[in-house]
Amino acid sequence: MILPVSSNLNQKTDFSAEKSDEKKQKYNHDTLLQNNFSTRFRIGMDKFTNAITLYPAKGLKGNRNANFYEFLTMGQVPYLIGSGMLMAVFNGARHFFSPDAQKAAAPLGKKMALGVIFYGLAKEFSKNLVTSPVHWITGVDTNLPYAKVNYELPDDIYDTDITSIEYHKVFESVEFPRWDLLYMDSSSGKPRNTYFDKVAKKLGLGTNLKDSDQEVKPRIKEIVVKTNLAQNLSSYLWAATGVALAFQKPWEEFFNVATLKFWKPKEFGKSLSIFAKSLERSLYNFYKGDGSKYSKYTGKAMIFTSLAASMLGVLNVMSSSLKPSKLDSGDIIEKERKYVVN
């Protein structure tokens, strides 16, 4: 079996062994993380706070440790600012209208703001409609995260804290995945190829394979490529569906009582209750239409097109062009002939 080359001999990759390290949020080597809600929330908050505080400061000072990861992470800041401005530009301008025009423009402006929110939520969460089934069927989690430890250059001679943590995905690079993080450490008491054995079994490649990692790796790469394509295509369709849902008339009832004052539980609770009812009615209106000639078809078309894109994406992942070969060495090597190795 061809073993991966690792630059850290003390690296531990047992999923259970990393739980304590993950809770402490202190890493001395690249560490595989569990892909659950708490981990994703913590990673998101860490990246966001760094994107608005630490990373811009490093860039403005010309810090030599600033890198491309930090530049990409800061990309979410203008995205959020732009979303906020898009929500505010129409709602802010309507205050310059006449009272009657303000009253007519207010519902539309609020629907536009809600559409921006639904766009982002639908685009992000709809990806799970592809990645979750793929993970369940194949055992391959294309969003599996890990913490990468960077050793930075010291800013001065007294600087001792010269490490920074970056959050990446194991299959972030299709050509160069972090295979080394998927092998079990000898101290875990589990076979080194435990992860690849499970994936091989899920994919129907068999059990007790000699080199399950070598058998499975090409198939995993294909799964990652197809999954990324499927979730990207379907997510924009779901985002468009979310925007269309935000422009339904029942939301106007919610806008009349909406409040973010959570310190007033009675008003806030009523707002949440009306939101749920408005969402249900908006979904019904969107599906059935408003009575016009084409509206009874457009809503259904958008919903079913988005669903079909997600489902077809998963089915495409399941259809592999990398079928395992049924030939063995006896079918290829002719024993009666002589062979010379140069």
Side-chain angles (χ1 to χ4, degrees):
M1 181 176 67
I2 301 175
L3 298 178
V5 177
S6 175
S7 60
N8 192 335
L9 298 177
N10 296 321
Q11 178 172 288
K12 295 180 180 180
T13 57
D14 183 7
F15 288 81
S16 60
E18 299 301 341
K19 290 182 181 179
S20 60
D21 286 344
E22 188 175 342
K23 289 179 180 178
K24 295 176 183 177
Q25 301 181 27
K26 294 180 180 179
Y27 311 103
N28 54 16
H29 54 74
D30 293 356
T31 305
L32 197 66
L33 305 177
Q34 291 183 318
N35 187 12
N36 52 36
F37 177 78
S38 61
T39 301
R40 292 193 297 269
F41 180 78
R42 179 167 58 82
I43 290 174
M45 289 301 298
D46 185 76
K47 293 176 73 171
F48 177 71
T49 53
N50 285 334
I52 61 176
T53 55
L54 179 62
Y55 296 162
K58 290 174 68 175
L60 290 171
K61 291 191 299 183
N63 192 300
R64 55 185 174 176
N65 290 311
N67 57 30
F68 193 57
Y69 168 83
E70 297 176 0
F71 170 76
L72 291 178
T73 303
M74 286 190 292
Q76 62 183 298
V77 176
Y79 181 85
L80 293 174
I81 293 175
S83 298
M85 292 185 67
L86 186 62
M87 295 165 65
V89 64
F90 189 90
N91 290 285
R94 67 181 171 85
H95 294 293
F96 297 97
F97 302 163
S98 64
D100 290 340
Q102 285 188 38
K103 186 177 180 180
L108 178 60
K110 291 176 181 178
K111 288 177 182 178
M112 290 179 65
L114 189 64
V116 172
I117 296 173
F118 278 9
Y119 175 92
L121 292 177
K123 184 173 181 292
E124 185 62 30
F125 289 108
S126 63
K127 295 177 181 179
N128 294 322
L129 296 176
V130 176
T131 57
S132 295
V134 168
H135 184 202
W136 180 70
I137 296 171
T138 67
V140 179
D141 184 359
T142 58
N143 292 321
L144 190 62
Y146 73 94
K148 184 181 187 323
V149 179
N150 276 346
Y151 292 92
E152 299 182 335
L153 297 171
D155 293 327
D156 56 63
I157 59 174
Y158 301 105
D159 192 1
T160 56
D161 184 15
I162 57 173
T163 61
S164 65
I165 303 298
E166 297 179 2
Y167 295 102
H168 295 273
K169 295 178 181 178
V170 172
F171 303 110
E172 196 169 74
S173 169
V174 178
E175 290 300 322
F176 303 102
R178 288 298 304 270
W179 300 121
D180 57 305
L181 296 176
L182 300 177
Y183 288 93
M184 291 296 177
D185 187 79
S186 57
S187 62
S188 67
K190 297 180 181 179
R192 183 173 176 77
N193 280 4
T194 297
Y195 174 83
F196 300 100
D197 291 339
K198 290 180 179 178
V199 173
K201 185 178 180 181
K202 287 261 189 180
L203 295 177
L205 300 179
T207 57
N208 300 320
L209 300 176
K210 279 188 178 180
D211 301 305
S212 59
D213 53 342
Q214 304 306 316
E215 293 283 346
V216 163
K217 284 178 180 179
R219 183 71 175 96
I220 291 179
K221 286 186 176 182
E222 184 186 25
I223 289 171
V224 171
V225 171
K226 289 183 175 182
T227 301
N228 289 342
L229 174 64
Q231 68 176 1
N232 287 335
L233 289 176
S234 63
S235 65
Y236 283 102
L237 289 171
W238 282 111
T241 303
V243 173
L245 177 63
F247 276 81
Q248 302 304 306
K249 189 173 180 60
W251 287 114
E252 295 178 14
E253 182 183 356
F254 167 70
F255 297 145
N256 292 331
V257 298
T259 179
L260 295 176
K261 298 178 180 179
F262 57 88
W263 55 89
K264 295 182 178 180
K266 187 175 180 179
E267 295 179 10
F268 187 68
K270 182 180 179 181
S271 178
L272 292 178
S273 176
I274 298 298
F275 176 86
K277 292 179 181 178
S278 298
L279 177 60
E280 181 182 355
R281 293 170 185 169
S282 295
L283 284 169
Y284 181 82
N285 275 23
F286 183 47
Y287 184 80
K288 290 291 186 179
D290 58 7
S292 61
K293 184 177 181 181
Y294 296 105
S295 65
K296 60 182 179 180
Y297 301 112
T298 53
K300 294 182 180 70
M302 290 195 71
I303 293 173
F304 287 118
T305 300
S306 302
L307 280 172
S310 298
M311 293 174 63
L312 290 174
V314 175
L315 291 175
N316 182 50
V317 173
M318 296 303 102
S319 61
S320 173
S321 59
L322 301 174
K323 302 296 183 183
S325 175
K326 296 182 179 179
L327 300 176
D328 58 23
S329 59
D331 298 316
I332 301 173
I333 300 176
E334 300 178 22
K335 296 181 180 179
E336 66 274 9
R337 294 184 62 182
K338 293 182 179 180
Y339 295 87
V340 177
V341 179
N342 293 326

